Amino acid sequence: MIGKNNINLESKHMTPETLWAMGRIATATASPDGKQIAYQVGYYSVKENKGHQVICVISSNGKDNRQLTTDAANETDPAWINGGRRIAYLRDGQIWVMNADGSERTQLTKSATPIEGFKFSPDGTKVILIKSIPYNDIIKKNPVDLPLATGRLVTDLNYRHWDHYVESIPHPFVADVTASGITEGEDIMKGEPYECPMAPFGGIEQLAWSPDSKTIAYTSRKKTGVQYATSTDADIYLYSIETKQTASLCKPDSYKPVATDPTRSMKEQSVNNAENLKNNPGYDTNPQFSPDGKYIAWQSMARDGYEADRNRLCVYDIATGTKRYVTESFDSNVDVFCWEADSRSLSFTGVWHGCVSVWQTNLNGEVRQITNEWADYVALSPANDGKKLIALRQSLSAPTDIFVIDPGKNADKTKVDQLTFENKHILDQLSLGKVQQRWVKTTDGKNMLCWIILPSDFDPSKKYPTLLFCEGGPQTPVSQSWSYRWNFQIMAANGYVIVAPNRRGLPGFGSAWNEAVSGDWTGLCMSDYLSAIDDATQNLPFVDKDRLGAVGASFGGFSVYWLAGHHDKRFKCFIAHDGAFNLESMYTDTEEAWFSNWEYESAYWNKPLPANARNTYDNSPHKFVDRWDTPILCIHGEKDYRINYNQGMGAFNAARMRGIPAELLIFPNENHWVLKPQNGVLWQRTFFGWLDRWLKK
């Protein structure tokens, strides 16, 4: 069994092995009486190249912390049932239950198909089971007399997603809870070729029980093939346990799908005109019933085809069928949310100025800030005492822990208490780099927030090699997020200054700033990168302008490839992970075609091309390889279907054919991320080996 790593570090500087020794808290949920919190932690072994998920319980006052896992099996997704007397959890694809002290473990299901998620009804008589069913509508089933054939006959788009071929899809089943266990359940979407939860990241949070246990609200994008690949139109549906009927809460019964051109941006198409916006054509996800059962709230994006549209909080009145948006005064995204006990207010997290804070809104849309710290709150749930909240919090200097929030009238009056100290035994041994906030003027006179992270043993009299960090997304904030790969503290431990700008396109600075990147990938956002690094070299005396590197992943990797042809010899080396290199190829390579449509505005073969699309393709990084003159490391996962690995190979091959020093780190079994421990260590060693080679001479 892989457990908590009680290690004595040989050095006060963070290493890849140190990162992998840390416990990773994933979930936290309070018991119905609010006296205890069950949570999940992951521990990892580099030697065994695997992880182990365990369940722990802690009193709400931070005392009596106990690990309940007793053997090598992974135990996940703890949920309080039976009035808080017992904890249900997943183990080996089945639901088990135990007492709150870990005793009397009993297996409740014996499902023929592994259970991927579950949610018990409030009355405890039924449970939603998430199970995958075979799906052969797009990838045809091979002939039975060819059992060893490995070919796949594909007939439409959406044949693969994120990192897998789509030969099964998740469906929700409703099962009965009996004295002898839990039944197999009935598929509430039987015969429907649609996902619920939605790939690739959706889970049980996309379904919710009504307080009276009579209805289920769920999320689904009921499209297939080309329509699925080019649309983000997910809706909230209400399923009746009694009648077995389903109704959409987003669209009227008379609604007819709007015809769209799958080779052009949805931005100006009729699906997003003023009249159709009333029908919720964008992402609508994660429904939650109010405690009194009168309302359903969910996260809602307005427009179809735009995965980074502002995520608002929609509240649906079940009696009247009316919808209201209660976070309109908050010009950023609602990341996670929960109802308050009064059913008249909600708490949510959202990024503003590089920090993910906690906010509250009432049904009239009056928003107030609850926390104001250099931190990211990444999960939120009721403490079940009528007022407090349970939250997971992290920062650029600390991994995730559990906190209790006692909201005040404003952020200054709010009380925040830390309950867990999962990695204190490791952090206490480390020397961490100081984090600074810096506002930089852009080329068009705007103010841009940059995080500056100093080396662990910082000496202001010295000059240090410095890294420009290029964020992905392209609409992901550079906030106080703690990463186990792109970790600023391990960069600081290796003696680097990090300049991390919240360039054009990132949320937390208003919608206009957020949307400025779409259709302009190589315009102001690239100028913002250069403004950030130029400000650092000109105004921070400890930054060595002769030892600069630029690094980034995804859109950040694209940024690195573009900067390689446009940096005017600022940088001495580059690292691009999973970046887009050839945008014409990327347009048809990616599995989620809506992304390229919205960001590029058109397929490259359409004539005439809109101005933004022409500008995008004309400025693709691969067209400027003739200007490359700087060493570059390319990293890519072969199971990355979002940005296919041919992009990284193409960039590496081009660099070597140009005679430029280059290396390619390719992972046959990793996707857009690097998830396996030994691959993670290899990534870090290769990353810093490359930087040290070119920036520490």
Side-chain angles (χ1 to χ4, degrees):
M1 179 179 74
I2 301 168
K4 191 167 188 173
N5 295 285
N6 294 308
I7 61 174
N8 290 316
L9 303 182
E10 296 180 2
S11 169
K12 63 180 180 179
H13 294 146
M14 187 182 294
T15 67
E17 291 79 6
T18 307
L19 274 177
W20 282 98
M22 292 182 176
R24 307 184 188 186
I25 296 178
T27 62
T29 179
S31 59
D33 63 7
K35 294 182 178 180
Q36 297 185 90
I37 297 167
Y39 65 100
Q40 178 182 327
V41 189
Y43 298 111
Y44 294 84
S45 166
V46 173
K47 181 179 179 180
E48 297 183 30
N49 200 33
K50 64 180 182 180
H52 182 218
Q53 299 295 318
V54 306
I55 295 171
C56 301
V57 168
I58 189 171
S59 298
S60 57
N61 60 8
K63 299 178 180 179
D64 194 23
N65 196 349
R66 292 163 289 139
Q67 181 176 316
L68 303 184
T69 293
T70 57
D71 57 32
N74 286 313
E75 296 179 341
T76 65
D77 303 87
W80 297 93
I81 63 172
N82 300 131
R85 297 188 304 276
R86 312 200 79 192
I87 299 173
Y89 58 98
L90 281 181
R91 175 187 170 105
D92 296 328
Q94 304 294 334
I95 298 178
W96 287 63
V97 68
M98 61 182 165
N99 291 333
D101 63 1
S103 64
E104 297 185 24
R105 295 166 175 263
T106 305
Q107 184 174 342
L108 296 183
T109 62
K110 295 183 179 179
S111 176
T113 304
I115 296 167
E116 300 165 22
F118 69 93
K119 185 170 287 187
F120 280 81
S121 61
D123 65 9
T125 64
K126 296 185 181 297
V127 60
I128 299 169
L129 308 176
I130 303 301
K131 297 191 280 189
S132 288
I133 63 171
Y135 178 67
N136 298 111
D137 287 21
I138 289 173
I139 300 178
K140 297 304 179 183
K141 195 172 183 179
N142 284 340
V144 294
D145 64 332
L146 301 176
L148 302 182
T150 59
R152 292 181 172 98
L153 179 60
V154 177
T155 62
D156 206 341
L157 297 190
N158 188 38
Y159 55 92
R160 60 183 193 176
H161 204 171
W162 188 250
D163 59 4
H164 65 281
Y165 281 85
V166 184
E167 296 174 288
S168 64
I169 55 176
H171 266 203
F173 291 70
V174 174
D176 293 321
V177 180
T178 70
S180 57
I182 295 173
T183 63
E184 281 286 336
E186 180 179 356
D187 186 349
I188 68 174
M189 293 175 61
K190 187 175 182 179
E192 296 187 47
Y194 314 119
E195 305 165 331
C196 177
M198 298 186 302
F201 307 123
I204 197 65
E205 74 282 352
Q206 294 193 352
L207 299 100
W209 283 100
S210 62
D212 63 7
S213 303
K214 292 182 179 180
T215 55
I216 295 170
Y218 69 86
T219 310
S220 184
R221 183 160 74 248
K222 296 197 173 183
K223 299 176 183 292
T224 62
V226 171
Q227 287 71 38
Y228 179 100
T230 57
S231 172
T232 59
D233 186 7
D235 288 333
I236 306 299
Y237 296 88
L238 202 61
Y239 174 82
S240 170
I241 297 295
E242 295 174 345
T243 68
K244 297 182 172 30
Q245 298 297 306
T246 300
S248 172
L249 301 186
C250 295
K251 295 177 172 59
D253 293 339
S254 60
Y255 178 81
K256 294 182 179 179
V258 178
T260 60
D261 182 344
T263 71
R264 298 184 187 276
S265 171
M266 299 277 198
K267 193 178 301 182
E268 304 301 332
Q269 296 194 47
S270 60
V271 69
N272 284 326
N273 65 27
E275 185 61 29
N276 199 55
L277 285 178
K278 299 175 184 177
N279 297 315
N280 294 70
Y283 265 132
D284 292 274
T285 59
N286 303 340
Q288 292 185 34
F289 285 86
S290 60
D292 63 8
K294 294 181 179 180
Y295 305 99
I296 302 175
W298 67 79
Q299 291 161 274
S300 179
M301 296 185 185
R303 293 166 287 183
D304 194 2
Y306 188 20
E307 69 169 358
D309 206 352
R310 185 164 64 91
N311 223 346
R312 308 161 299 162
L313 200 52
C314 176
V315 175
Y316 178 89
D317 189 315
I318 296 174
T320 65
T322 58
K323 298 190 289 276
R324 68 182 88 175
Y325 296 88
V326 297
T327 55
E328 292 302 89
S329 64
F330 179 65
D331 198 12
S332 191
N333 294 318
V334 173
D335 294 334
V336 296
F337 74 96
C338 64
W339 281 97
E340 297 295 324
D342 62 5
S343 295
R344 296 296 179 271
S345 55
L346 304 99
S347 295
F348 66 94
T349 67
V351 65
W352 192 253
H353 287 185
C355 299
V356 180
S357 300
V358 179
W359 311 73
Q360 284 186 346
T361 181
N362 58 25
L363 298 186
N364 295 323
E366 297 168 333
V367 175
R368 64 190 181 106
Q369 188 170 0
I370 297 303
T371 66
N372 185 19
E373 308 156 75
W374 284 10
D376 278 10
Y377 285 89
V378 295
L380 202 64
S381 60
N384 294 332
D385 68 346
K387 182 183 179 182
K388 296 178 184 177
L389 298 164
I390 302 298
L392 300 184
R393 192 183 81 176
Q394 58 187 224
S395 73
L396 292 178
S397 301
T400 303
D401 268 304
I402 301 173
F403 289 74
V404 173
I405 301 171
D406 188 355
K409 292 183 179 180
N410 54 53
D412 291 337
K413 301 295 183 181
T414 293
K415 184 180 179 183
V416 178
D417 291 321
Q418 184 170 350
L419 290 191
T420 62
F421 297 82
E422 177 61 38
N423 295 295
K424 187 178 186 299
H425 63 297
I426 296 176
L427 296 172
D428 284 350
Q429 301 179 64
L430 295 174
S431 174
L432 298 180
K434 184 179 179 180
V435 177
Q436 298 179 341
Q437 189 182 75
R438 184 173 180 83
W439 290 88
V440 174
K441 282 290 183 184
T442 64
T443 53
D444 58 342
K446 300 291 195 309
N447 292 316
M448 175 174 62
L449 171 66
C450 295
W451 294 113
I452 307 294
I453 300 87
L454 303 179
S456 302
D457 297 322
F458 179 67
D459 181 344
S461 67
K462 294 183 178 180
K463 286 187 176 293
Y464 292 90
T466 299
L467 305 178
L468 173 68
F469 172 73
C470 302
E471 180 58 270
Q475 295 98 347
T476 303
V478 180
S479 59
Q480 285 284 316
S481 170
W482 177 273
S483 171
Y484 285 94
R485 185 167 67 260
W486 290 93
N487 186 286
F488 293 159
Q489 287 296 345
I490 197 172
M491 297 179 197
N494 279 270
Y496 292 95
V497 173
I498 303 95
V499 178
N502 273 273
R503 51 140 177 93
R504 223 69 54 111
L506 303 191
F509 303 89
S511 294
W513 185 271
N514 192 181
E515 299 196 358
V517 69
S518 297
D520 190 31
W521 276 21
T522 57
L524 287 172
C525 67
M526 293 299 167
S527 297
D528 291 345
Y529 285 136
L530 297 178
S531 294
I533 197 65
D534 288 348
D535 169 79
T537 58
Q538 294 165 14
N539 298 307
L540 300 178
F542 49 82
V543 168
D544 189 341
K545 67 180 179 60
D546 295 321
R547 292 189 292 164
L548 304 180
V551 302
S554 197
F555 181 85
F558 160 84
S559 302
V560 168
Y561 289 142
W562 190 86
L563 288 170
H566 299 83
H567 68 109
D568 296 326
K569 300 189 182 298
R570 285 176 174 86
F571 299 103
K572 291 298 186 289
C573 72
F574 295 105
I575 300 178
H577 181 148
D578 288 353
F581 170 67
N582 181 331
L583 295 187
E584 288 189 0
S585 175
M586 170 72 179
Y587 180 84
T588 48
D589 286 349
T590 189
E591 89 281 35
E592 291 186 344
W594 69 70
F595 174 80
S596 296
N597 272 342
W598 192 276
E599 295 300 319
Y600 307 170
E601 292 198 0
S602 177
Y604 59 84
W605 58 81
N606 285 330
K607 301 293 187 292
L609 278 175
N612 282 346
R614 185 171 61 253
N615 179 64
T616 296
Y617 293 119
D618 285 350
N619 283 284
S620 176
H622 80 285
K623 293 188 175 182
F624 299 92
V625 172
D626 61 309
R627 301 184 186 180
W628 285 19
D629 58 7
T630 304
I632 188 166
L633 167 64
C634 307
I635 307 174
H636 226 106
E638 289 190 29
K639 295 185 73 175
D640 183 357
Y641 302 152
R642 184 62 40 84
I643 300 177
N644 278 250
Y645 70 94
N646 61 300
Q647 299 283 320
M649 295 177 79
F652 167 75
N653 292 352
R656 289 303 302 129
M657 293 176 75
R658 289 265 295 119
I660 294 168
E663 290 182 354
L664 172 67
L665 177 59
I666 193 84
F667 292 104
N669 58 347
E670 298 284 4
N671 56 33
H672 201 57
W673 300 326
V674 178
L675 302 177
K676 295 171 177 58
Q678 291 195 14
N679 282 344
V681 173
L682 176 61
W683 189 97
Q684 296 281 4
R685 291 180 183 175
T686 306
F687 182 90
F688 290 112
W690 184 257
L691 293 177
D692 291 352
R693 176 180 172 185
W694 301 104
L695 299 183
K696 289 188 176 180
K697 291 181 179 179

